[in-house]
Amino acid sequence: MFGVKATSKIPFPRTFEEFLEWFSTEEDCTEYLEWIRWPDGFVCPGCRGMKAWRTDRGLRHCQACQRQSSATAGTVFEDSRKPLRLWFHVMWLMMAQKTGLSARNLCDTYGFGSYQTAWGWLQKLRSVMIRAGREHLTGRVEVDEAFVGGQKEGTRGRGAEGKTAVLVAVEGDPKKKLGRVRFRCVEAITRESVELFIMDYVEPGTLVVTDGLSVYDHLKAAGYDHQAHVITTGGEQARQELDHVHLVISLLKRWLGGTHQGAVTPAHLQAYLDEFAFRFNRRLSHHRGKLFYRLMQQAVTVRPPTVKALYASKPQPVGVA
Ligand SMILES: [Zn+2]
């Protein structure tokens, strides 16, 4: 019984061996989902009753109102005809590997029938990686713009052909460890898109460090302590002030070009940025299993987009002038 293994102290398997032990049957997986969904015991969504028995199909049958509930309803796993064990396994692989998992990877190494199916699974998981109302970044935050994707990798200049504009914020004091990161795809780097991004993700009054671009000019007026560094050739000092954000941008580009071989389209880039941030912000976790656990929590609490919406998703036009 899985319920015995998970405790609030260590609610996740710490190693792959433990993972295999915890989730050897469909029932183990269902129990884990139920435990995450109803940590204080089952509650009927119809009548709030707490007495229920389990049916042959793994549903909870409420004694009071006879309603049947499934732990997977409204979650990433709803309507999937594949075993939960397979989902759990993919989630483990996606979280345990520092570089994540690509759809190509799932097809070639794990025998997923079609690239589309594999991509759909990963995209569904990515779609729940961002929580609403996350804490704001504080302390000292570096903000910069990056241009990602497109055919001509390495092309210099702002707004280069075929690339997507991404705003990046990174916490941390110079020469110290990096803190948390936030990303947002935008239609264009404008005062408005910059301000919306910073207001959504950075605590007012925080020291915001940027380059000398004029779109950042109004940050003081918006209530931030703003430091602009004009980056010139040989301007080492100014460059160091933005070391953290430049490092994150280069890691991001390496990941998109390496693990995903540059296959990410602009319409879906935000989901990949969310995945990168999810892993990056938890990179110091002692156990990779903790990331698996966090993802599982979000998979049962955040309602994923429909399959149709998943494939049709367009870049969110944030802050279009
Ligand atoms: Zn009920």
Side-chain angles (χ1 to χ4, degrees):
M1 279 276 281
F2 142 77
V4 184
K5 291 171 196 150
T7 63
S8 46
K9 217 169 164 195
I10 306 177
F12 50 83
R14 286 165 300 183
T15 61
F16 185 53
E17 196 179 348
E18 282 188 6
F19 172 87
L20 291 176
E21 215 175 275
W22 281 36
F23 306 117
S24 63
T25 66
E26 281 297 284
E27 205 187 357
D28 291 336
C29 299
T30 306
E31 277 184 34
Y32 190 65
L33 286 185
E34 287 185 345
W35 181 74
I36 287 179
R37 188 154 191 184
W38 299 298
D40 303 317
F42 173 77
V43 180
C44 171
C47 71
R48 314 299 299 161
M50 295 184 73
K51 287 198 175 136
W53 66 82
R54 198 190 298 275
T55 71
D56 294 346
R57 291 166 55 224
L59 303 174
R60 292 295 187 124
H61 186 111
C62 175
Q63 270 187 26
C65 74
Q66 317 301 318
R67 179 172 167 159
Q68 293 193 339
S69 314
S70 142
T72 59
T75 72
V76 157
F77 315 105
E78 187 174 27
D79 299 331
S80 172
R81 279 162 298 176
K82 294 287 187 185
L84 283 172
R85 271 196 310 150
L86 191 56
W87 275 101
F88 277 43
H89 216 122
V90 168
M91 289 166 80
W92 179 270
L93 291 170
M94 195 179 191
M95 289 296 108
Q97 304 186 121
K98 288 202 168 139
T99 50
L101 195 60
S102 71
R104 180 57 42 221
N105 223 200
L106 272 182
C107 286
D108 294 351
T109 315
Y110 301 98
F112 261 62
S114 85
Y115 179 86
Q116 281 299 311
T117 308
W119 184 86
W121 277 45
L122 295 178
Q123 194 69 359
K124 251 194 179 178
L125 292 170
R126 286 183 192 113
S127 74
V128 299
M129 285 187 188
I130 289 299
R131 250 177 317 138
R134 292 177 310 164
E135 325 79 72
H136 283 160
L137 304 185
T138 57
R140 177 183 177 280
V141 175
E142 297 175 16
V143 175
D144 202 4
E145 59 294 342
F147 292 88
V148 178
Q151 292 307 306
K152 292 177 275 178
E153 200 46 70
T155 307
R156 297 254 162 205
R158 303 184 190 280
E161 200 69 20
K163 291 181 184 292
T164 306
V166 176
L167 287 166
V168 187
V170 184
E171 239 176 13
D173 290 322
K175 299 201 176 109
K176 288 213 174 134
K177 265 191 204 142
L178 285 75
R180 298 164 294 178
V181 303
R182 301 283 187 258
F183 298 103
R184 178 178 285 170
C185 290
V186 290
E187 293 269 302
I189 307 292
T190 61
R191 276 169 191 249
E192 201 189 355
S193 65
V194 163
E195 188 173 329
L196 276 173
F197 172 68
I198 292 177
M199 281 176 18
D200 282 349
Y201 290 123
V202 184
E203 190 70 18
T206 298
L207 172 61
V208 176
V209 182
T210 68
D211 60 25
L213 208 62
S214 67
V215 292
Y216 299 112
D217 281 352
H218 60 300
L219 287 180
K220 268 214 166 72
Y224 293 92
D225 182 6
H226 180 220
Q227 234 176 54
H229 295 275
V230 180
I231 305 211
T232 51
T233 323
E236 265 321 298
Q237 186 67 38
R239 213 179 306 279
Q240 274 173 18
E241 291 289 337
L242 290 163
D243 256 2
H244 289 337
V245 71
H246 289 164
L247 174 65
V248 167
I249 290 170
S250 76
L251 290 172
L252 171 71
K253 287 184 173 174
R254 201 182 305 165
W255 179 66
L256 289 171
T259 301
H260 298 290
Q261 314 236 319
V264 181
T265 59
H268 297 114
L269 179 61
Q270 185 64 53
Y272 287 78
L273 298 178
D274 292 347
E275 180 190 343
F276 186 89
F278 186 90
R279 197 179 290 105
F280 189 89
N281 291 339
R282 291 165 183 79
R283 71 197 182 282
L284 302 175
S285 288
H286 193 57
H287 297 292
R288 303 303 288 178
K290 192 164 181 186
L291 276 78
F292 167 81
Y293 170 62
R294 292 283 175 234
L295 181 58
M296 191 62 78
Q297 279 183 314
Q298 303 210 178
V300 301
T301 51
V302 181
R303 188 170 271 275
T306 62
V307 172
K308 205 174 151 204
L310 208 61
Y311 285 95
S313 91
K314 295 244 156 44
Q316 296 299 310
V318 176
V320 188

